[in-house]
Amino acid sequence: MSGAAANDLSEQKAHNGRLLREDIAAARTRLRGLPEVIAFHTTERCNLRCTMCERSISQGELQLSRARLAAICDDLFPTARKVALSGAKGEPLLADFDLVAQKAQQHGVRIDVVTNGTELDATLYASVAKLFDHVNVSVDAADPATYERIRRGARFERLRSNLRGIAAHRRVHPDDVLISLSAVVMRSTLPHLEKLIHLAAEMEVTGVILQPLSHAGKRNDDEDPLPELGADGLRARLEALRPVARAAAVHLFFANFAMVPECVGPLRAKVPEELTHPSACSYVLQHFGVQPDGRVYPCYRPTDHVLGDTNVESAKEIWNGPAFQRLRAAHYSRRGSIFCSGCVHAPGLPPRRPRWMQSSLQQMRLWWSERATAAQRRRERTAVRDA
């Protein structure tokens, strides 16, 4: 990209950001600015069968088509600052990652990726390093036997070799990429979290991210540490990791634990700056999240807030469509929703019901939404077969 083209793109993104912030400051539901973060859950396919993931039950079928992916990129990347590739449903490096990288290069967009790391060797990293903003490698346990038992199909030595190769490349070609190792905090991973911090130090990465076990895609009651330790006991175990992180000079983050991070020195901000509002979550103001079936949801957390379908509407139409505008209005007014009220990402929306009741209602609505989605997919397959 020429210098003049890069400057034009930079100004286009800056202008978009100004419009977005002006509209949000005025609590407008229809936004002149377009989303700055495009979140793709590109695939349900994965090369692993991790015990805490629904992929351990069955292989996923859905993947965003290459043509649909390209169209969304061309629609939104000219004004976007970041594309975030999620590993929540499948391994994003297996699903047209080359196309996303090509479009990001073309439109001056940085890349976040959550990956299991088995496909991210030094060669692939080097080819995309100038585009990466944050690379999060899901490891869970630095103990080889525990790692391979949890992450079925993976080999710890392959992961270690990839991480070592990336570290060696970065010594010769320094970059500003934020690289983290992450773990789901479970009964089987708790004893190995100190070792994970030491692995992060050995691989010269930025930090370690710890996140709570989720039962959204699959029940994992046997791995849930809360019944045994309780909330206070689990917090105490996590707090005990702070001096370990300080000694290893590794940043430690507690995602969705309502705990402040342990920062061991200066840390550059991620791109872009998060948009904030007293009551509205940044996911309804700044993000555009596309699922493998092409439907758009507000964030990565399971909800039944379907905001649109890129198979039948353009991304720009969905961004200011009635569903997105209703959800923004619910945030601005602090009315919230059954899924948004009480969420850690929307601190301005306190829960409106007791936690147990809200959780039950969420599960009921998700169950109904999944049944409706499955029925719709059956109808679509029948229509294609009969055509």
Side-chain angles (χ1 to χ4, degrees):
M1 186 186 302
S2 69
N7 288 337
D8 288 345
L9 267 176
S10 178
E11 177 51 37
Q12 187 174 359
K13 294 177 191 297
H15 178 65
N16 181 75
R18 287 192 293 271
L19 292 178
L20 200 57
R21 283 155 179 79
E22 288 172 7
D23 288 345
I24 290 166
R28 298 188 180 111
T29 60
R30 184 175 184 84
L31 306 176
R32 292 170 297 166
L34 293 170
E36 293 186 309
V37 180
I38 316 305
F40 283 129
H41 300 259
T42 50
T43 185
E44 290 183 336
R45 295 192 303 114
C46 193
N47 56 341
L48 304 184
R49 300 292 181 271
C50 301
T51 58
M52 64 287 193
C53 178
E54 59 188 303
R55 294 287 78 84
S56 65
I57 302 173
S58 64
Q59 176 65 282
E61 299 177 355
L62 298 174
Q63 181 165 316
L64 197 63
S65 75
R66 191 173 177 91
R68 181 64 51 202
L69 181 62
I72 299 170
C73 291
D74 287 337
D75 217 11
L76 298 180
F77 275 21
T79 47
R81 294 183 180 273
K82 168 79 67 64
V83 55
L85 300 174
S86 170
K89 291 182 177 291
E91 173 50 50
L93 296 188
L94 300 177
D96 298 314
F97 178 69
D98 63 316
L99 175 62
V100 175
Q102 174 197 330
K103 295 294 185 181
Q105 171 68 31
Q106 178 183 346
H107 295 292
V109 172
R110 300 293 292 270
I111 298 175
D112 275 7
V113 64
V114 179
T115 172
N116 60 40
T118 58
E119 303 300 313
L120 185 61
D121 59 16
T123 301
L124 178 57
Y125 179 88
S127 70
V128 193
K130 61 184 177 182
L131 300 175
F132 279 140
D133 187 49
H134 180 203
V135 176
N136 179 32
V137 182
S138 301
V139 178
D140 293 308
D143 173 70
T146 305
Y147 169 85
E148 292 177 6
R149 183 183 64 78
I150 293 172
R151 299 198 151 258
R152 297 173 188 161
R155 293 293 174 265
F156 187 76
E157 281 310 311
R158 178 176 179 176
L159 174 72
R160 195 204 301 265
S161 175
N162 286 349
L163 292 173
R164 282 176 172 163
I166 292 169
H169 170 80
R170 298 180 81 201
R171 286 187 216 108
V172 178
H173 305 281
D175 57 48
D176 70 341
V177 180
L178 302 172
I179 302 182
S180 58
L181 307 184
S182 66
V184 176
V185 178
M186 305 185 288
R187 288 184 178 183
S188 57
T189 61
L190 263 173
H192 306 290
L193 295 180
E194 287 191 24
K195 189 178 290 188
L196 183 64
I197 293 172
H198 292 308
L199 177 67
E202 177 190 346
M203 300 304 168
E204 303 171 38
V205 305
T206 311
V208 168
I209 301 174
L210 304 180
Q211 54 195 18
L213 177 66
S214 170
H215 298 288
K218 174 193 173 188
R219 294 296 305 182
N220 292 282
D221 298 303
D222 58 327
E223 281 282 14
D224 196 335
L226 282 172
E228 178 184 355
L229 297 176
D232 290 341
L234 180 58
R235 175 183 284 270
R237 292 284 293 272
L238 298 180
E239 288 286 350
L241 297 171
R242 291 185 186 275
V244 179
R246 289 195 296 269
V250 170
H251 299 282
L252 184 60
F253 303 93
F254 305 93
N256 299 328
F257 277 110
M259 297 170 61
V260 297
E262 187 66 37
C263 294
V264 296
L267 185 66
R268 76 159 176 84
K270 292 182 66 177
V271 176
E273 177 186 352
E274 183 179 0
L275 277 175
T276 59
H277 182 275
S279 61
C281 168
S282 67
Y283 282 97
V284 304
L285 304 176
Q286 189 178 24
H287 291 239
F288 189 89
V290 186
Q291 296 291 319
D293 61 359
R295 295 195 300 174
V296 175
Y297 287 79
C299 74
Y300 70 94
R301 296 172 74 87
T303 76
D304 65 355
H305 294 314
V306 183
L307 303 178
D309 186 344
T310 60
N311 295 297
V312 295
E313 306 167 89
S314 75
K316 291 179 179 178
E317 288 172 330
I318 295 170
W319 176 243
N320 276 317
F324 239 131
Q325 290 200 54
R326 284 194 300 270
L327 192 56
R328 290 180 189 128
H331 278 236
Y332 289 142
S333 67
R334 298 185 186 272
R335 186 174 74 254
S337 77
I338 189 64
F339 289 98
C340 298
S341 298
C343 174
V344 295
H345 296 292
L349 300 177
R352 297 183 298 175
R353 300 171 179 85
R355 186 173 297 276
W356 67 268
M357 184 184 297
Q358 183 145 323
S359 178
S360 297
L361 289 171
Q362 289 174 351
Q363 293 302 316
M364 186 184 307
R365 283 179 45 165
L366 284 173
W367 176 83
W368 180 256
S369 175
E370 289 166 2
R371 282 176 60 90
T373 299
Q376 176 65 24
R377 288 173 184 165
R378 286 195 296 271
R379 288 193 294 270
E380 291 170 354
R381 286 196 293 267
T382 301
V384 170
R385 186 180 65 241
D386 295 343

